[in-house]
Amino acid sequence: MTGTASAAAPGPQSAPGEGSASDQFTDTDGRVELAEGAIPEGSRYANDDLYPVPLAQRRWTTYNFAAVWIGMAHNIPSWLLASGLVALGMDWKQAVFTIALANVIVLLPMLLTGHAGPKYGIPFPVFARASFGVRGANLPAMIRAAVACCWFGIQTWIGGQGIFVLLGKIFGGWKEAAQIGGQPWTLWVCFLLFWALELAIIYRGMEALRRFENWAAPFVIVGAFVLLIWMAVKAGGFGPLLDQPSELGWGAEFWPVFFPALMGMIAFWSTLSLNIPDFTRFGAGQRAQVWGQSLGLPTTMTLFALLSVFVTAGSQAVYGATIWDPVELAAKTDNVFGLLFALVTVLVATISVNIAANVVSPAYDLANLAPRFINFRTGALVTGVVGVVIMPWKLTETPELYIYTWLGTVGGLLGTVAGILIADYWLLRRTRLLVADLYREGGAYWYSSGWNWRALAAFVVGGLLAVGGSWSAPGKGPFPADGLIPFLKPLADYGWAVGMVSSLLLYVALMRAAGSRETAAGAR
């Protein structure tokens, strides 16, 4: 190692003698490691799960990152995205184009926020302290944790529902079981067993997750192709899968569906665009995370979209109705081996994405909230409980509710946070952080009692612009038809982009107007 590090200068509230670049060392490949004892002993803002990952333990390769994305992209909610677009009237070309474009767009903020992971070895909640403040980072962390908990519940419900449907097809009589809370008790058992299995895996830690994803990714791909081939055989070839026409065309009826759908597709991975440092902190270098994500996300999501829309279009040709749920579709076979294979595929696909995308992140967020009392494993257990309490079965009842209401609103808020993080790290600090000060009171990122009011202001304004105009078609969702704030309704269909751009610009303006030393350092 060399004995220097690129770092932003301390902010105006820094205590004398703190924020020294001598606290950290830069390796020849640009990755930074803290000097021994740089973080104060017994810091109330640190624990073993929040400390920077030592260089020797940053060993995830390009394949590891690509495998994580392949495992996460090939899952039932991803399938529902593409098949839901077909159900909304798009043909296969329009649906695949929408999803491919969305994933190319969302890849950019992922790479930008992911950069801090391999360089500094820090998770998202600690990374957010640079912009929101050491205490203020709990705001974006809790927002992201709440969203991830909801996603965990959705994925677990879908996985449990898949087990219920497929086992019910094999053994029969499951759907006629006595009901509890409006659902057969057998469905609740499947849901809870699947929930327990997921938490048992994540309880073993990130290394166990890496090993699981390495073999789960190719298995799920094979399962998706098997479903495609089966549907093609049922339809009498691939022709009927490709010939289903668009109900929207490419004219005036298409664009009102396209833009909110595009934002919904982006919002699907907007949580990961924030918490990707939780994974890239284990990266062997920037090349590994950049190539791993670039090869893993856009390509696999586009491929999975193709498989999904082909099979969904085939269901229209074979059964005379659009079946957008792959579990419901697989259950139409009477072959026991086929049902068992579909069951295993559903299990592996759902576990691989749910643990990686929706348990790791809130576990770190909750640990950040109270480092002395909550560690990674405790945070994972809390995530599991919250994921059940939010009643996830309500969020996937219709394509409109799933894509427009849930994903659109979530995307707007998370896009706002992403804009602030990117502005702070890239435009103001030029990727230079004083890592030890991320764990200190009175350091470079303490601002005013641990909160940066400029980040809060940018978040409030950006969030209001992004989701303030949220609306629903009559009878299709919870929002009024003319929007929560009617004059903001025209922005609602572009929530993620509006939130990101507006918060980025406002944050930069506020920080530069403040004339702080850290802003000046970032501008050099």
Side-chain angles (χ1 to χ4, degrees):
M1 291 185 181
T2 66
T4 60
S6 297
Q13 290 80 23
S14 299
E18 294 185 346
S20 172
S22 63
D23 286 337
Q24 57 195 46
F25 302 89
T26 304
D27 198 21
T28 54
D29 62 1
R31 293 183 298 164
V32 175
E33 186 162 44
L34 282 179
E36 185 176 352
I39 297 177
E41 187 73 24
S43 170
R44 60 186 296 188
Y45 301 106
N47 64 21
D48 290 343
D49 296 310
L50 297 177
Y51 285 133
V53 175
L55 282 179
Q57 297 178 26
R58 300 181 207 173
R59 53 175 179 262
W60 282 35
T61 64
T62 296
Y63 176 77
N64 293 140
F65 285 114
V68 166
W69 274 115
I70 293 171
M72 287 196 293
H74 294 132
N75 62 86
I76 296 174
S78 291
W79 185 285
L80 296 177
L81 283 180
S83 61
L85 294 181
V86 174
L88 290 172
M90 292 188 182
D91 64 15
W92 72 270
K93 295 184 291 295
Q94 292 169 331
V96 172
F97 167 72
T98 302
I99 291 175
L101 178 60
N103 283 278
V104 170
I105 292 173
V106 81
L107 177 64
L108 180 58
M110 282 189 178
L111 295 178
L112 293 177
T113 55
H115 183 276
K119 183 169 184 178
Y120 297 105
I122 54 177
F124 163 78
V126 176
F127 175 50
R129 294 174 182 180
S131 51
F132 282 85
V134 175
R135 287 176 172 169
N138 283 315
L139 173 64
M142 287 300 99
I143 291 173
R144 188 195 67 160
V147 172
C149 287
C150 290
W151 270 123
F152 174 80
I154 290 172
Q155 292 272 12
T156 303
W157 176 254
I158 290 174
Q161 198 173 41
I163 298 171
F164 168 77
V165 170
L166 296 174
L167 286 181
K169 182 74 174 181
I170 296 173
F171 298 113
W174 285 47
K175 292 185 177 181
E176 288 72 38
Q179 292 195 351
I180 300 176
Q183 302 289 349
W185 69 265
T186 46
L187 174 55
W188 292 116
V189 169
C190 292
F191 173 61
L192 292 175
L193 287 176
F194 188 64
W195 173 85
L197 176 62
E198 291 176 312
L199 292 185
I201 293 175
I202 194 60
Y203 197 77
R204 300 188 62 184
M206 289 293 289
E207 187 62 22
L209 171 64
R210 183 180 71 88
R211 292 194 297 267
F212 178 81
E213 294 289 355
N214 284 346
W215 70 265
F219 181 87
V220 175
I221 294 176
V222 171
F225 273 104
V226 168
L227 186 58
L228 173 65
I229 294 170
W230 172 68
M231 182 52 61
V233 171
K234 294 279 289 184
F238 286 97
L241 277 63
L242 302 174
D243 291 341
Q244 296 300 312
S246 170
E247 298 177 11
L248 306 173
W250 288 93
E253 294 184 6
F254 173 71
W255 301 110
V257 175
F258 168 76
F259 285 110
L262 179 68
M263 293 298 107
M265 301 305 105
I266 293 173
F268 186 75
W269 292 123
S270 59
T271 306
L272 267 295
S273 70
L274 296 182
N275 63 247
I276 199 64
D278 292 344
F279 299 91
T280 60
R281 65 191 298 228
F282 298 97
Q286 295 297 341
R287 180 183 296 272
Q289 74 102 1
V290 169
W291 280 105
Q293 293 200 83
S294 299
L295 294 174
L297 174 59
T299 54
T300 53
M301 276 298 289
T302 301
L303 173 63
F304 207 55
L306 278 168
L307 295 175
S308 173
V309 296
F310 286 167
V311 172
T312 304
S315 71
Q316 173 69 35
V318 174
Y319 300 107
T322 300
I323 302 175
W324 74 306
D325 186 341
V327 174
E328 181 184 347
L329 188 60
K332 289 188 172 292
T333 181
D334 293 321
N335 185 287
V336 174
F337 174 78
L339 287 169
L340 289 175
F341 180 79
L343 175 63
V344 174
T345 303
V346 166
L347 283 170
V348 174
T350 307
I351 289 174
S352 66
V353 65
N354 213 16
I355 293 176
N358 304 319
V359 179
V360 173
S361 304
Y364 282 127
D365 293 334
L366 292 166
N368 185 72
L369 183 65
R372 292 185 179 181
F373 306 102
I374 302 177
N375 60 21
F376 180 83
R377 287 182 170 86
T378 306
L381 293 177
V382 173
T383 299
V385 173
V386 175
V388 175
V389 171
I390 52 92
M391 296 187 293
W393 44 90
K394 295 293 185 181
L395 294 176
T396 55
E397 287 182 335
T398 67
E400 292 85 2
L401 186 62
Y402 179 50
I403 293 176
Y404 293 160
T405 303
W406 164 242
L407 290 179
T409 304
V410 164
L413 291 177
L414 296 182
T416 301
V417 176
I420 294 169
L421 297 181
I422 292 170
D424 184 81
Y425 183 67
W426 286 94
L427 300 182
L428 299 179
R429 302 186 191 280
R430 308 294 173 88
T431 76
R432 296 171 293 183
L433 297 175
L434 292 169
V435 180
D437 275 13
L438 294 169
Y439 302 87
R440 289 175 171 155
E441 292 187 22
Y445 314 110
W446 190 243
Y447 299 103
S448 178
S449 300
W451 292 79
N452 182 4
W453 69 265
R454 301 166 192 86
L456 296 179
F459 172 77
V460 170
V461 174
L464 185 65
L465 292 175
V467 304
S470 297
W471 62 280
S472 301
K476 297 292 186 179
F479 301 123
D482 58 349
L484 289 172
I485 304 176
F487 76 90
L488 293 179
K489 181 179 178 181
L491 301 179
D493 290 347
Y494 314 94
W496 180 83
V498 169
M500 172 174 279
V501 173
S502 60
S503 65
L504 183 150
L505 294 176
L506 180 57
Y507 181 77
V508 170
L510 290 174
M511 291 294 285
R512 291 198 183 281
S516 67
R517 283 183 286 160
E518 58 192 291
T519 302
R524 285 198 293 266

